[in-house]
Amino acid sequence: MLTVAAVARRLGVAPATLRTWDRRYGLGPTEHTSGAHRRYGPGDVARLETMRRLTRAGVAPADAARVAAASAVPSLPIADAAESADAEPGRTGGGRVIAMPSSSRAARGLARAAMALDGPTSVGILRDTLRRHGVVRTWEDVVLPVLDGVGRRWEATGEGVEVEHLLSEVLVSALHAELPPIVRPVNVRPVFLVAAEEEQHTLPLHALAGALAEQHITSLVLGARLPRVALADAVRRGGPAVVFVWSQLPATGDLGQLTAIPAQRPAAQLVVGGPGWTSVPAGVDQAADLEDAVAIIRAAVGG
């Protein structure tokens, strides 16, 4: 049973916000203690997590509340949150590691090193995995489980942003160290990899660039929060064969930035990736995952 203050800290919102959600939408505590004090139980916290996630993604509060009220299963039970907050000490630097019992040994090692902010060890783990298994398997089996664990920890405690930033840096470093320069690229025209307008997540773009490099396809990462005007100008000047746009959140998956890309001859193939795209216009390919994105782009450039 958690108090208003405890839940507010866990979700990273003000106590006044929780009281407003309770008063306006009925998303309040449903449990009572012996002193008649209302306390939040696991189901209450789960609904509030859903509410917070949706409102941060740009969903109107009233609509988010309706979805949250219908949610009954905690996305992260309170017991799991406590386990994440009190995870075992790291072996390097005294950091803490998220609980990942079903993940690979490499993923658990990366989580431990990243939580300890041990950059050299993190890079070493990723470089070894890249050499053994390549970019796609490293991303799917090692990096994504750690990112998911860091995200769950952040949802539970509000901590871990610095760990995600470290993971971004070490993955880029490992990719640059392990992937040799492309001497004879498959593609003559460039491949642009961009984050959607207002989208700050770029790590998937670097993973895609590395996976394409393994296929001898050169690409150019144009970075985070690229305005549609800048993207349109880059397309006119660069004449890319493919433009890949990543959106992590529905708030950044605005179709207008796709339709704003100017037509050219020969035309560029538009590809989108990420959970932020709820629909795409005709003629735009939507990649299901990293491996799918590589296959679509390779087909587009004639590889």
Side-chain angles (χ1 to χ4, degrees):
M1 299 297 102
L2 299 179
T3 64
V4 171
V7 175
R9 286 193 301 270
R10 186 181 298 278
L11 299 182
V13 300
T17 299
L18 294 182
R19 296 188 182 97
T20 299
W21 289 351
D22 183 10
R23 184 176 65 255
R24 292 184 180 177
Y25 310 117
L27 296 177
T30 57
E31 303 291 341
H32 292 75
T33 62
S34 57
H37 297 293
R38 300 176 72 197
R39 293 290 185 266
Y40 291 85
D44 302 325
V45 175
R47 285 184 283 273
L48 290 172
E49 285 179 341
T50 301
M51 178 72 175
R52 179 179 176 279
R53 198 158 43 236
L54 292 175
T55 53
R56 283 178 62 87
V59 178
D63 295 332
R66 281 194 291 270
V67 175
S71 175
V73 179
S75 59
L76 180 64
I78 290 176
D80 290 345
E83 181 182 14
S84 295
D86 298 323
E88 65 188 77
R91 296 176 184 172
T92 55
R96 292 187 172 186
V97 65
I98 53 180
M100 301 171 57
S102 60
S103 298
S104 66
R105 180 178 179 181
R108 295 195 302 273
L110 179 61
R112 182 178 296 109
M115 290 298 294
L117 299 182
D118 184 348
T121 300
S122 300
V123 172
I125 292 171
L126 288 172
R127 291 188 63 178
D128 179 69
T129 310
L130 287 168
R131 284 194 296 268
R132 293 171 179 269
H133 305 296
V135 176
V136 172
R137 280 196 59 189
T138 297
W139 176 255
E140 297 287 347
D141 297 344
V142 179
V143 178
L144 279 185
V146 178
L147 288 174
D148 179 65
V150 171
R152 290 189 294 109
R153 181 182 175 90
W154 180 81
E155 289 283 350
T157 66
E159 301 173 353
V161 174
E162 76 285 356
V163 179
E164 182 179 349
H165 290 180
L166 173 68
L167 286 170
S168 298
E169 293 298 324
V170 298
L171 178 60
V172 172
S173 297
L175 288 170
H176 286 170
E178 289 302 320
L179 296 177
I182 302 174
V183 178
R184 295 180 180 178
V186 170
N187 54 313
V188 177
R189 297 163 60 203
V191 172
F192 287 173
L193 309 179
V194 306
E197 206 169 35
E198 301 304 323
E199 178 59 64
Q200 300 187 62
H201 295 82
T202 60
L203 188 55
L205 298 179
H206 293 288
L208 177 55
L212 291 173
E214 287 185 323
Q215 303 295 320
H216 303 284
I217 298 173
T218 58
S219 60
L220 182 62
V221 178
L222 297 183
R225 303 181 65 179
L226 187 68
R228 65 187 67 188
V229 174
L231 176 57
D233 184 55
V235 169
R236 278 190 290 265
R237 288 188 293 145
V242 179
V243 177
F244 177 91
V245 186
W246 175 267
S247 171
Q248 183 77 22
L249 301 171
T252 65
D254 180 8
L255 298 182
Q257 57 198 315
L258 302 180
T259 57
I261 296 176
Q264 58 176 357
R265 291 187 179 181
Q269 177 63 51
L270 299 184
V271 186
V272 298
W277 302 105
T278 56
S279 63
V280 295
V284 176
D285 284 319
Q286 186 167 18
D289 52 26
L290 178 59
E291 186 174 14
D292 191 32
V294 172
I296 292 172
I297 294 173
R298 179 165 180 161
V301 300

